[in-house]
């Protein structure tokens, strides 16, 4: 069981922060981990192996003998980037997914959200899945779908369609993170949405600010808070050209927010995991055995949550590449064309799975598909990208061009019907080149093929 007593969340946070002994500068002590688990399981024959680590957590494989075989589990040791909330939210999310969906996720065996054990950090022990992750061609960042059987691909898509449909059917009441059930010790608080757990809210630069972390009633509140944080970051930096540009963009985004989002609504949200990539998916033969990586899974507005899973995202290629288009008149590969052809085949394979996913979603959950295909959804997703990237000098020029186009479109709509206070602006979602396309250059034209196999952007390709 988790190490908790029945206290209010506020009391737990104060206690955890007061007693927290961890340090971001030091890796967890493996001997202390073995000692802790040895006490928990009453044994001293535990082995520990580091699997991975990042700025948020260390992941270890734990093995212990049992009846002539090795039992494997995973322990995630959390660095103190967001004491209490990050661990509680991750455990809550996993339990919610187990309760409301059929997607296989690891069982939480034991956990500690206080950082007061001998490890000195928060930790979660999880079930370990036996399987292999999806094969990836690292050079192009694509799944090698040629190594995945057709039945495996169809089964994988069906299970994720079922998962996305289930999350859409169990919408939540606000934007934030889940704190429920065993993770909080207060059973009647199931499905409670609380403060958001997101790096942009708890990163070091923003910890000194007295900004709200939710839960947020609607998209407008959530985006306003994020813009305010960006503005405060700008004020803390000397007036460089990039900072001045960011401030100008922020001012324009604040005005545009009033046209794209209603600040008076109580807006539903959907559980959204952006980390379901190839390395998160564990397969055994033709069966999905587990999906891992559930940190930073928040309840987000429907326009944000109705999106392709990460392993299906990318440039769309709606025409199967023909090898002949990559050869010269003598039948030899054009310069660089061999690599392009291999990459484009992978993109086409993924595009066919995008189509399968969207076709299945339209049958199982047409409301999800309607939101995904909506032109206002496209505008709002572009706005979200602009908020996240407004202080990035590499993207500021693209954001400014996008804003100019949107603002010009709004002015044209106003002039066409000056008597209408709130004209429908959603049509701009299809008439204006998207910011996502401008930044990530998904125009999808081969540099080498004699007859390029071009396709529109991945998130609207099925509308062409």
């Amino acid at each position: 069981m988790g190490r908790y007593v029945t206290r209010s969340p506020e009391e737990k946070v104060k206690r955890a922060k007061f007693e927290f002994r961890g340090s971001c500068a030091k890796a967890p002590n493996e001997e202390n981990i073995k000692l802790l688990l040895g006490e928990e399981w009453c044994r001293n024959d535990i082995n520990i192996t580091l699997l991975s680590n990042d700025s948020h957590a260390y992941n270890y494989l734990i093995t212990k003998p049992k009846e002539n075989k090795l039992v494997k589990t995973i322990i995630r040791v959390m660095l103190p980037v967001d004491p209490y909330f990050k661990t509680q939210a991750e455990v809550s999310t996993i339990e919610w997914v187990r309760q409301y969906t059929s997607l296989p996720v690891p069982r939480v065996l034991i956990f500690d959200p206080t950082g007061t054990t001998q490890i000195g950090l928060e930790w979660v022990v999880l079930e370990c899945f036996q399987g292999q992750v999806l094969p990836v061609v690292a050079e192009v960042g694509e799944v090698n779908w040629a190594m995945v059987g057709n039945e495996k691909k169809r089964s994988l898509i069906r299970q994720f369609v079922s998962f996305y449909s289930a999350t859409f059917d169990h919408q939540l009441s606000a934007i934030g993170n889940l704190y429920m059930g065993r993770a909080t010790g207060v059973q009647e608080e199931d499905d409670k949405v609380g403060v958001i757990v997101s790096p942009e809210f708890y990163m070091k630069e923003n910890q000194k600010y007295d900004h709200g972390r939710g839960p947020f009633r609607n998209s407008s509140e959530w985006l306003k808070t994020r813009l305010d944080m960006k503005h405060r970051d700008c004020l803390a930096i000397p007036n460089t050209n990039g900072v001045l540009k960011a401030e100008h963009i922020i001012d324009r985004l604040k005005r545009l927010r009033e046209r794209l989002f209603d600040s008076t609504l109580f807006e539903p949200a959907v559980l959204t995991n952006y980390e379901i990539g190839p390395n998160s998916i564990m397969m055994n033969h033709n069966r999905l055995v587990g999906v891992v990586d559930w940190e930073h899974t928040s309840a987000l507005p429907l326009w944000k949550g109705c999106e392709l899973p990460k392993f299906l995202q990318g440039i769309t290629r709606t025409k199967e590449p023909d090898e002949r288009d990559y050869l010269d008149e003598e039948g030899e590969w054009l310069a660089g064309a061999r690599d392009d052809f291999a990459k484009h085949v992978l993109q086409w394979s993924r595009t066919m799975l995008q189509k399968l996913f969207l076709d299945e979603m339209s049958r199982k959950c047409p409301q999800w598909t309607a939101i995904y295909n909506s032109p206002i959804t496209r505008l709002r997703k572009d706005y979200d990208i602009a908020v996240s990237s407004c202080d990035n000098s590499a993207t500021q020029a693209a954001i400014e061009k996008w804003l100019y186009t949107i603002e010009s479109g709004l002015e044209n709509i106003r002039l066409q019907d000056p008597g209408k206070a709130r004209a429908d602006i959603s049509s701009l979602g299809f008439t204006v080149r998207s910011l996502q396309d401008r930044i990530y250059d998904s125009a999808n034209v081969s540099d080498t093929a004699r007859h390029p196999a071009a396709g529109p952007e991945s998130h609207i390709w099925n509308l062409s």
Side-chain angles (χ1 to χ4, degrees):
M1 295 292 291
R3 296 175 176 274
Y4 57 79
V5 294
T6 302
R7 297 191 184 96
S8 71
E10 292 76 15
E11 291 174 320
K12 293 178 189 177
V13 173
K14 289 179 182 178
R15 179 182 175 119
K17 289 185 175 180
F18 177 76
E19 297 181 339
F20 204 91
R21 300 199 299 264
S23 169
C24 287
K26 292 179 62 178
N29 186 301
E30 294 184 9
E31 289 302 314
N32 285 343
I33 296 174
K34 291 171 66 174
L35 178 62
L36 170 73
L37 296 180
E39 292 177 355
E40 286 283 345
W41 294 328
C42 299
R43 59 193 314 142
N44 58 8
D45 52 358
I46 295 171
N47 290 316
I48 180 171
T49 304
L50 178 65
L51 294 176
S52 63
N53 67 282
D54 55 30
S55 59
H56 298 140
Y58 279 68
N59 300 306
Y60 298 91
L61 175 66
I62 306 298
T63 57
K64 58 181 179 179
K66 183 179 181 181
E67 299 175 356
N68 298 321
K69 66 178 181 179
L70 288 178
V71 176
K72 298 179 180 181
T73 54
I74 302 293
I75 185 169
R76 282 177 48 74
V77 181
M78 314 295 187
L79 295 176
V81 294
D82 193 11
Y84 179 83
F85 290 116
K86 188 171 182 296
T87 301
Q88 294 283 30
E90 185 170 335
V91 171
S92 294
T93 297
I94 291 172
E95 296 204 343
W96 190 95
V97 173
R98 288 179 61 84
Q99 178 175 336
Y100 290 111
T101 83
S102 59
L103 198 70
V105 294
R107 287 185 299 121
V108 176
L109 304 177
I110 48 177
F111 67 99
D112 175 74
T114 67
T116 56
T117 65
Q118 52 265 63
I119 297 179
L121 296 163
E122 301 176 24
W123 50 268
V124 179
V125 177
L126 299 163
E127 175 185 13
C128 180
F129 293 120
Q130 303 301 311
Q132 300 79 39
V133 298
L134 291 175
V136 174
V137 181
E139 294 80 6
V140 296
E142 291 280 355
V143 176
N144 189 350
W145 293 109
M147 296 180 62
V148 183
N150 288 332
E151 180 54 37
K152 182 186 287 188
K153 287 187 282 194
R154 286 191 291 268
S155 174
L156 185 65
I157 295 301
R158 284 194 296 266
Q159 287 182 274
F160 273 96
V161 166
S162 178
F163 168 68
Y164 277 54
S165 300
T167 58
F168 192 87
D169 288 341
H170 291 88
Q171 293 176 16
L172 301 162
S173 59
I175 298 168
N177 272 74
L178 281 168
Y179 301 89
M180 61 173 287
R182 186 164 68 94
T184 62
V186 185
Q187 295 296 331
E188 63 269 18
E189 291 188 356
D190 279 9
D191 291 19
K192 178 180 179 181
V193 178
V195 298
I196 197 164
V197 176
S198 172
E200 66 180 330
F201 280 88
Y202 63 64
M203 63 184 182
K204 185 177 180 181
E205 292 85 349
N206 277 325
Q207 288 178 348
K208 60 182 177 289
Y209 296 140
D210 184 25
H211 57 263
R213 289 182 54 183
F216 303 101
R217 295 182 309 158
N218 51 49
S219 298
S220 183
E221 284 187 1
W222 176 51
L223 292 162
K224 179 182 183 302
T225 301
R226 291 166 59 197
L227 279 174
D228 288 344
M229 289 193 295
K230 294 286 188 181
H231 179 63
R232 288 166 178 168
D233 286 343
C234 290
L235 294 178
I237 302 173
N239 286 335
T240 63
N241 186 50
V243 169
L244 293 174
K245 277 189 176 181
E247 290 180 327
H248 181 58
I249 290 171
I250 289 169
D251 286 340
R252 294 167 74 180
L253 287 172
K254 286 181 177 179
R255 292 192 294 271
L256 181 58
R257 179 175 57 89
E258 299 175 1
R259 297 300 306 271
L260 293 179
F261 304 95
D262 191 328
S263 61
T264 64
L265 295 177
F266 282 87
E267 191 174 351
V270 63
L271 194 71
T272 306
N273 183 352
Y274 288 110
E275 302 304 318
I276 304 181
N279 291 330
S280 305
I281 298 170
M282 307 293 294
M283 305 287 289
N284 194 335
H285 299 293
N286 284 331
R287 187 169 64 92
L288 175 65
V289 295
V291 179
V292 298
D293 297 332
W294 291 93
E295 67 174 347
H296 305 142
T297 302
S298 303
L300 298 179
L302 302 186
W303 58 264
K304 180 76 169 173
C306 293
E307 181 58 281
L308 294 169
K310 184 178 179 180
F311 71 94
L312 291 181
Q313 292 181 16
I315 292 174
T316 294
R317 193 162 294 275
T318 55
K319 175 185 174 184
E320 182 175 10
D322 187 333
E323 184 176 313
R324 292 171 297 182
D325 290 333
Y326 298 77
L327 305 177
D328 61 20
E329 287 77 5
E330 304 299 323
E332 299 294 328
W333 289 101
L334 296 166
R338 186 190 297 270
D339 291 339
D340 261 6
F341 176 71
K343 177 175 66 176
H344 297 166
V345 168
L346 292 175
Q347 292 173 351
W348 176 78
S349 298
R350 176 179 38 72
T351 299
M352 294 302 99
L353 293 177
Q354 290 179 6
K355 182 178 188 306
L356 177 60
F357 178 90
L358 292 170
D359 287 346
E360 292 288 329
M361 280 298 300
S362 66
R363 284 190 288 270
K364 192 171 182 66
C365 190
Q367 303 97 321
W368 188 100
T369 309
I371 293 172
Y372 174 84
N373 286 335
S374 169
I376 195 67
T377 292
R378 179 176 171 179
L379 284 175
R380 288 169 174 170
K381 286 179 179 177
D382 279 345
Y383 185 94
D384 176 65
I385 293 172
V387 171
S388 297
S389 307
C390 63
D391 54 351
N392 184 341
S393 59
T395 60
Q396 285 176 335
I399 294 173
E400 288 182 314
K401 290 179 181 177
W402 175 80
L403 278 168
Y404 173 78
T405 310
I406 294 294
E407 290 162 350
S408 299
L410 290 174
E411 179 63 12
N412 286 336
I413 291 173
R414 186 189 68 80
L415 292 174
Q416 289 171 11
D417 194 353
K420 197 167 184 179
R422 300 289 293 182
D424 180 15
I425 65 172
S426 63
S427 61
L428 293 176
F430 290 153
T431 58
V432 171
R433 187 185 182 204
S434 81
L435 179 59
Q436 177 175 322
D437 188 38
R438 294 168 191 264
I439 291 178
Y440 300 109
D441 191 24
S442 55
N444 197 25
V445 176
S446 167
D447 292 332
T448 56
R450 289 186 291 120
H451 303 288
E457 300 162 69
S458 62
H459 63 296
I460 61 164
W461 79 273
N462 61 314
L463 298 175
S464 61

